[in-house]
C-alpha cells in the first residue's frame, strides 16, 4: 500500500518541496497539515502535485486546541499513520516585542516546539498501530540550535496582568534545571527564541528515541537540511537581508541548498530504506551524501531533554 505521511507546514519552503518529492514517487499519500487551505492548495498545484496524492487538513500549531482538533480529524479519516514530519516553524528576527500563541506561550517556542510536542504525543499511538515496515517520526532541526550557548527557556506565559513570565531561563548551564520555572528576569530575545525552539526540537527527538524506540520500533530522527536561504522563513527579515542572504550563502559560506534539494533530503529521511537509524541527526556533505552528524553538547544533553519533556507535558496539558 501507499504510505501515509503527515507534513506540517507543507504550504511553502522545505515542507512543500518534500511533499512534492514524495508525491512524485507515487508511493506516498501526503497529509499537508497547514493553517491556510487556499495557500496550500495553490502551492500544491504550483509544484504539480496530483490531486489523488495529497489531502489538506487544517492545523494551526499556535493553538493547542487546533492541534487536538487536527488529531481528531485525522483519526476520523481512517487512514493509518506511517510517518509524521514536524517541519513547520516561525522565525521572528526583527520582532521587538514577543508575540504569543492562543495559549499564551511565546510564539516561536509555542509553535515550533510545544505545538509539535503535543501533536507527536497524540499521534504516537496511531504510529504504533501502523503495519508499515518503516515507521518514522521526524522533527526538523537546525544548525542554529546547535550554537545556542547561554540562556535557556522553554516557553513563557502571560500572567493575569498581561505581563509575560519566564518559565525557564538560566544564565549558566548547571542552573538551567533549577530555574526552569518562574524566573522573572526572562526577557524576549528574538533570534534566541527561535534557537531555543530548535534545541527543544532536537532534544525532544532524542527523548522520544530513549522512551519509545525499543518498544515501538519507530525511527525517531532529526536533520539539518542545509541553508535554504530562499524560503519564507526569512519573510520577516529586513529587505536588505533577504536580498543578500541567498548570494552570501551561495558564494561565501557555500552552505546554500535549493528548496528542491532540501526537499529531496527530507524525503530521504522519510522514505530511504537505508536511513532507519533512530535517535540521530542527519546532515549532508558537499556531495549531497547523508551522514549522521554530531549534536552539540547542549542539544544532546539527556538530562535537559528529560526536563524539556516533563515541562512540555505540563505546558500542553498532558499531565
Ligand atoms: P517556510 O517559512 O517556508 O515554511 C514554514 C512553514 O511553517 C510554512 O508552511 C508555514 O505556514 C508553517 N507554519 C508557520 N506557523 C505555523 C502554524 N502556527 N501552524 C501551522 N503551520 C505553520 O520556512 P522553511 O521551509 O525554511 O522552514 C521549514 C523548516 O526548516 C523549519 O523547521 C525550519 O526551522 C527548518 N530549517 C530551515 C532552514 C532554512 O535555511 N530555511 C535551515 C534549517 C532548518 P504558512 O505558509 O501558513 O505561513
Amino acid at each position: 500500500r501507499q504510505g501515509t505521511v503527515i507534513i506540517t507546514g507543507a504550504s511553502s519552503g522545505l515542507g512543500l518541496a518534500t511533499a512534492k518529492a514524495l508525491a512524485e514517487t507515487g508511493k506516498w499519500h501526503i497529509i499537508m497539515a497547514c493553517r491556510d487551505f487556499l495557500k496550500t492548495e495553490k502551492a500544491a498545484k504550483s509544484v504539480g502535485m496530483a490531486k489523488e496524492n495529497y489531502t489538506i487538513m487544517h492545523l494551526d500549531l499556535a493553538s493547542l486546541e487546533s492541534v487536538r482538533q487536527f488529531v481528531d480529524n485525522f483519526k476520523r479519516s481512517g487512514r493509518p499513520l506511517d510517518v509524521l514530519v514536524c517541519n513547520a516553524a516561525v522565525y521572528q528576527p526583527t520582532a521587538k516585542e514577543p508575540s504569543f500563541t492562543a495559549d499564551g506561550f511565546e510564539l516561536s517556542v509555542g509553535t515550533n516546539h510545544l505545538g509539535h510536542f503535543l501533536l507527536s504525543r497524540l499521534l504516537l499511538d496511531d504510529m504504533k498501530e501502523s503495519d508499515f515496515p518503516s515507521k518514522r517520526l521526524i522533527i526538523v532541526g537546525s544548525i542554529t540550535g546547535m550554537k545556542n550557548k547561554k540562556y535557556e527557556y522553554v516557553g513563557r506565559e502571560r500572567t493575569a496582568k498581561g505581563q509575560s513570565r519566564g518559565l525557564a531561563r538560566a544564565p549558566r548551564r548547571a542552573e538551567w534545571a533549577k530555574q526552569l520555572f518562574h524566573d522573572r528576569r526572562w526577557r524576549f530575545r528574538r533570534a534566541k527564541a527561535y534557537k531555543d525552539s530548535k534545541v527543544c526540537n532536537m532534544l525532544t527527538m532524542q527523548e522520544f528515541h530513549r522512551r519509545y524506540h525499543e518498544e515501538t520500533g519507530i525511527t525517531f530522527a532529526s536533520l539539518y537540511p542545509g541553508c535554504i536561504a530562499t524560503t519564507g522563513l526569512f519573510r520577516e527579515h529586513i529587505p536588505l537581508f533577504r536580498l543578500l542572504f541567498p548570494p552570501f550563502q551561495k558564494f561565501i559560506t557555500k552552505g546554500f541548498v535549493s528548496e528542491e534539494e532540501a526537499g529531496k533530503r527530507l524525503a530521504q529521511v522519510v522514505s530511504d530504506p537505508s536511513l532507519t537509524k533512530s535517535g540521530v541527526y542527519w546532515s549532508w556533505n558537499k556531495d549531497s551524501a547523508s551522514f549522521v552528524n554530531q549534536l552539540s553538547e547542549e542539544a544532546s544533553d539527556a538530562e535537559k531533554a528529560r526536563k524539556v519533556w516533563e515541562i512540555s507535558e505540563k505546558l500542553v496539558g498532558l499531565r
Side-chain angles (χ1 to χ4, degrees):
R1 67 173 173 86
Q2 260 190 332
T4 301
V5 53
I6 295 177
I7 305 179
T8 68
S11 56
S12 76
L14 178 61
L16 178 62
T18 307
K20 174 181 188 274
L22 291 169
E24 278 170 356
T25 66
K27 294 180 182 163
W28 292 91
H29 187 84
I30 297 118
I31 308 288
M32 303 173 84
C34 298
R35 57 183 171 173
D36 185 334
F37 272 103
L38 188 60
K39 179 177 178 184
T40 310
E41 188 61 60
K42 280 186 184 157
K45 282 213 180 88
S46 76
V47 296
M49 288 170 66
K51 196 94 189 117
E52 66 273 17
N53 287 336
Y54 68 90
T55 303
I56 301 171
M57 289 179 67
H58 186 260
L59 168 67
D60 185 345
L61 288 156
S63 155
L64 298 178
E65 182 52 32
S66 172
V67 172
R68 290 184 180 278
Q69 278 171 11
F70 171 84
V71 171
D72 285 350
N73 286 342
F74 178 74
K75 285 181 194 285
R76 267 201 293 273
S77 76
R79 286 187 179 274
L81 178 58
D82 306 316
V83 178
L84 169 62
V85 180
C86 298
N87 160 76
V90 283
Y91 172 46
Q92 298 189 295
T94 54
K96 292 201 168 59
E97 290 294 323
S99 315
F100 296 94
T101 67
D103 309 277
F105 299 114
E106 186 283 319
L107 192 69
S108 323
V109 173
T111 306
N112 308 355
H113 168 58
L114 292 173
H116 279 136
F117 181 79
L118 181 62
L119 180 72
S120 22
R121 287 291 301 275
L122 295 179
L123 287 172
L124 193 68
D125 281 344
D126 297 72
M127 295 186 75
K128 280 187 199 168
E129 282 164 19
S130 148
D131 60 356
F132 206 65
S134 184
K135 305 181 276 190
R136 304 181 189 184
L137 197 167
I138 299 153
I139 306 178
V140 176
S142 179
I143 201 162
T144 37
M146 295 178 65
K147 290 183 185 149
N148 209 17
K149 288 255 165 63
K150 255 181 154 180
Y151 297 89
E152 284 307 320
Y153 71 91
V154 291
R156 70 176 186 171
E157 59 188 3
R158 266 191 255 255
T159 61
K161 284 183 191 156
Q163 291 155 343
S164 48
R165 179 174 66 183
L167 288 176
R169 169 188 178 269
R172 287 194 299 278
R173 271 164 209 249
E175 284 178 26
W176 192 85
K178 273 191 259 165
Q179 298 192 19
L180 283 173
F181 289 102
H182 310 306
D183 183 345
R184 287 167 194 283
R185 287 172 303 162
W186 186 93
R187 72 184 167 87
F188 177 64
R189 292 154 192 256
R190 51 207 180 194
K192 184 71 178 56
Y194 174 77
K195 288 180 184 177
D196 282 353
S197 75
K198 289 280 130 187
V199 171
C200 288
N201 282 156
M202 292 185 280
L203 291 172
T204 301
M205 176 280 287
Q206 293 163 86
E207 191 63 15
F208 260 117
H209 167 73
R210 279 189 281 271
R211 289 177 187 241
Y212 294 107
H213 175 63
E214 241 180 71
E215 172 203 332
T216 64
I218 297 170
T219 294
F220 299 97
S222 185
L223 68 149
Y224 172 62
C227 183
I228 332 160
T230 50
T231 71
L233 196 66
F234 308 102
R235 68 186 101 178
E236 289 185 31
H237 229 303
I238 54 168
L240 188 64
F241 176 91
R242 279 186 277 133
L243 181 73
L244 297 179
F245 191 49
F248 176 74
Q249 290 295 341
K250 260 182 210 160
F251 305 115
I252 313 287
T253 69
K254 303 206 165 40
F256 178 87
V257 288
S258 66
E259 293 180 31
E260 194 184 3
E261 172 60 22
K264 284 184 189 154
R265 291 177 177 183
L266 178 47
Q268 271 177 42
V269 184
V270 170
S271 66
D272 191 309
S274 65
L275 269 57
T276 53
K277 202 166 161 48
S278 183
V280 298
Y281 167 68
W282 294 102
S283 297
W284 284 258
N285 66 20
K286 286 203 173 67
D287 303 321
S288 273
S290 58
F291 67 96
V292 171
N293 205 346
Q294 280 279 314
L295 281 161
S296 68
E297 190 187 323
E298 177 182 45
S300 54
D301 181 335
E303 177 56 18
K304 192 175 283 187
R306 189 180 62 77
K307 279 277 175 202
V308 165
W309 181 277
E310 287 172 3
I311 289 164
S312 305
E313 276 187 331
K314 284 189 196 140
L315 297 180
V316 302
L318 285 174
R319 58 147 126 170

